[in-house]
């Protein structure tokens, strides 16, 4: 019985269910709060900046750790996005840059 | 096809209709290519991390939030422990916190046009995409909540179905590194960053988030640097909000 608890309880499926539960909770949270009292300016500003902060906190350490192909790929993707503003084109440019660097035998 | 030509009549009563749901589907058509690409990337990343096709599809069906799925896959452990699971759920929670703002913004529109309690069901389909559609529609004076739900259900279906070919393709490629597939996630995040950047708001916030994340990554193993860096940046945004 305890074996089942230790081995069977956590794994991909339970992770997916936990992710889904957390996401549903967030989906209804804002609606629920607004039905009672509005968000404070501090919370509003913090929430507005959160997506960008997460993305930056994710990619900058990865860039610091990554190889030349990652640097070139991300620079190509960012540069293309600034110029063209189309996700698909940015991704293609980034992958193209990274594949090229790796074809030259660099990490 | 024009993207948003039919302006809703302001005199229409608040409510929920099938015609509204069809209108929601029509308004989401321009977003279909982007959804296909993101779902394909999620499918391919799932295959790379060793998820079965069933698990990948289940995740897209139950979670239905692209950026958080990609980040979770980035952290996907090979052996499962409670701390690994907690870190994963925490990251998903943090990435999706922006949906709190969206739910708050949609509250007047949904509460007026749907029977009491039913918005809690409709919000299962809340994403950035149908938030934009629903809030734009209601800002134009529209009051049919079917638009929000129709757009959400339609894009949910596409999201789940498009995960499958992405997974199959990712599974077939034996050397994903050669095609740069291991870089798809960092590249997508780079692209998202460019789209998210607002000079006034982020010129101070982003250096804080990046600096704290880099330092944390040196000190703590695992992916906690994402959470620590993001929280630091978010709190900074709250503190700096008057200095714009």
């Amino acid at each position: 019985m305890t074996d089942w608890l230790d081995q069977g309880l956590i794994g991909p499926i339970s992770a997916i269910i936990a992710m889904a539960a957390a996401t549903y909770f967030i989906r209804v949270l804002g609606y629920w709060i607004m039905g009672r009292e509005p968000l404070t300016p501090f919370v509003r500003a913090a929430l507005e900046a959160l997506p960008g902060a997460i993305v930056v906190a994710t990619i900058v350490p990865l860039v610091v750790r990554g190889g030349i192909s990652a640097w070139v790929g991300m620079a190509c993707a960012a540069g293309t996005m600034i110029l063209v503003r189309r996700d698909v084109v940015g991704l293609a440019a980034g992958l193209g840059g990274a594949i090229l660097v790796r074809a030259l035998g660099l990490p | 096809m024009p993207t948003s030509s039919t302006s809703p009549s302001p005199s229409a009563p608040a409510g929920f209709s099938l015609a509204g749901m069809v209108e929601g589907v029509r308004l989401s058509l321009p977003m279909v290519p982007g959804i296909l690409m993101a779902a394909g990337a999620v499918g391919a990343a799932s295959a790379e991390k060793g998820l079965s096709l069933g698990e990948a599809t289940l995740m897209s069906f139950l979670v239905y939030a692209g950026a958080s799925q990609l980040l979770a896959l980035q952290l996907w452990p090979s052996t499962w422990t409670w701390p690994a699971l907690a870190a994963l759920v925490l990251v998903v929670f943090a990435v999706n916190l922006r949906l709190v703002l969206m739910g708050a913004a949609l509250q007047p529109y949904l509460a007026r046009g749907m029977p009491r309690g039913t918005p809690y069901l409709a919000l299962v389909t809340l994403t950035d995409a149908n938030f934009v559609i629903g809030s734009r529609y209601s800002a134009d004076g529209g009051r049919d909540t079917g638009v929000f739900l129709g757009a959400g259900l339609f894009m949910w279906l596409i999201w789940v179905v498009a995960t499958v070919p992405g997974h199959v393709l990712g599974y077939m490629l034996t050397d994903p590194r050669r095609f740069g597939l291991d870089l798809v996630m960092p590249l997508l995040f780079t692209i998202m960053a460019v789209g998210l950047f607002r000079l006034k708001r982020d010129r101070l916030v982003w250096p804080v988030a990046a600096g704290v994340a880099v330092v944390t990554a040196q000190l703590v193993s695992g992916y906690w640097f994402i959470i620590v860096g993001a929280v630091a940046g978010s709190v900074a945004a709250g503190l700096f909000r008057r200095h714009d």
Side-chain angles (χ1 to χ4, degrees), chain A residues 10 15-16 20 23-24 26-27 30-32 34 41-42 46 48-50 54-57 59 61 73-74 91 95 98 102, chain B residues 55 63-64 80 93-97 100 104 107 111 119-120 123-124 126 177 180 182 187 189-191 206 225 230 234 237:
Chain A
I10 50 174
I16 290 167
T23 309
Y24 177 70
I26 293 164
R27 283 191 159 111
Y31 179 89
W32 185 81
M34 270 299 278
F42 179 94
E48 267 168 17
L50 189 59
I54 292 168
V55 172
V56 170
I59 55 178
M74 287 157 98
L91 182 65
L95 281 177
R102 284 181 183 173
Chain B
E55 287 164 352
V63 182
Y64 180 40
W80 285 91
F93 189 83
V95 178
N96 288 332
L97 265 181
V100 171
Q107 195 268 349
Y120 288 103
L123 284 165
V124 173
L126 175 63
R177 267 187 64 82
D182 55 317
L187 289 174
F189 283 123
T190 308
I191 288 162
W206 284 25
F225 63 85
S234 178

Side-chain angles (χ1 to χ4, degrees), chain B residues 1-85:
Chain B
M1 178 183 282
T3 44
S4 70
S5 56
T6 10
S7 53
S9 72
S11 56
F16 179 91
S17 74
L18 193 65
M21 289 184 71
V22 174
E23 175 68 3
V25 171
R26 198 187 69 79
L27 291 173
S28 37
L29 290 178
M31 302 191 175
V32 169
I35 298 170
L36 290 175
M37 189 187 79
V42 166
S46 311
E48 205 210 327
K49 291 290 177 176
L51 274 77
S52 69
L53 180 60
E55 287 164 352
T57 315
L58 185 74
M59 189 202 279
S60 278
F61 175 68
L62 288 182
V63 182
Y64 180 40
S68 70
Q69 286 179 243
L70 277 175
L71 254 180
L73 288 166
Q74 177 90 49
L75 316 188
W76 208 253
S78 43
T79 42
W80 285 91
T81 58
W82 287 106
L85 185 102

Side-chain angles (χ1 to χ4, degrees), chain A residues 69 72-73 76-77 89-103, chain B residues 179-180 187:
Chain A
S69 56
V72 171
C76 290
V89 184
L91 182 65
L95 281 177
I99 291 169
L100 203 69
V101 170
R102 284 181 183 173
Chain B
F179 301 97
L187 289 174

Side-chain angles (χ1 to χ4, degrees), chain B residues 20-209:
Chain B
M21 289 184 71
V22 174
E23 175 68 3
V25 171
R26 198 187 69 79
L27 291 173
S28 37
L29 290 178
M31 302 191 175
V32 169
I35 298 170
L36 290 175
M37 189 187 79
V42 166
S46 311
E48 205 210 327
K49 291 290 177 176
L51 274 77
S52 69
L53 180 60
E55 287 164 352
T57 315
L58 185 74
M59 189 202 279
S60 278
F61 175 68
L62 288 182
V63 182
Y64 180 40
S68 70
Q69 286 179 243
L70 277 175
L71 254 180
L73 288 166
Q74 177 90 49
L75 316 188
W76 208 253
S78 43
T79 42
W80 285 91
T81 58
W82 287 106
L85 185 102
L88 201 73
V89 173
L90 209 58
V91 163
V92 168
F93 189 83
V95 178
N96 288 332
L97 265 181
R98 68 186 189 288
L99 296 174
V100 171
L101 270 188
M102 299 179 189
L106 288 171
Q107 195 268 349
Y109 161 57
L110 294 180
R112 218 183 295 131
M114 298 182 103
R116 202 177 156 75
T118 52
Y120 288 103
L121 292 176
L123 284 165
V124 173
T125 71
L126 175 63
T127 61
D128 310 63
N130 71 333
F131 164 72
V132 169
I133 289 170
S135 56
R136 208 178 275 165
Y137 169 82
S138 70
D140 289 346
R143 306 179 71 179
D144 191 331
T145 50
V147 171
F148 173 79
L149 186 63
L153 289 176
F154 174 66
M155 290 186 282
W156 196 357
L157 179 71
I158 292 183
W159 180 255
V160 175
V161 171
T163 307
V164 176
H167 185 278
V168 172
L169 199 70
Y171 191 73
M172 284 190 326
L173 296 173
T174 46
D175 185 9
R177 267 187 64 82
R178 213 179 118 206
F179 301 97
L181 281 194
D182 55 317
L183 291 177
V184 165
M185 283 180 269
L187 289 174
L188 281 176
F189 283 123
T190 308
I191 288 162
M192 279 169 63
V194 174
L196 285 169
F197 186 74
R198 300 285 176 275
L199 185 68
K200 265 192 166 181
R201 185 186 70 203
D202 295 325
R203 59 166 191 233
L204 295 168
V205 170
W206 284 25
V208 171

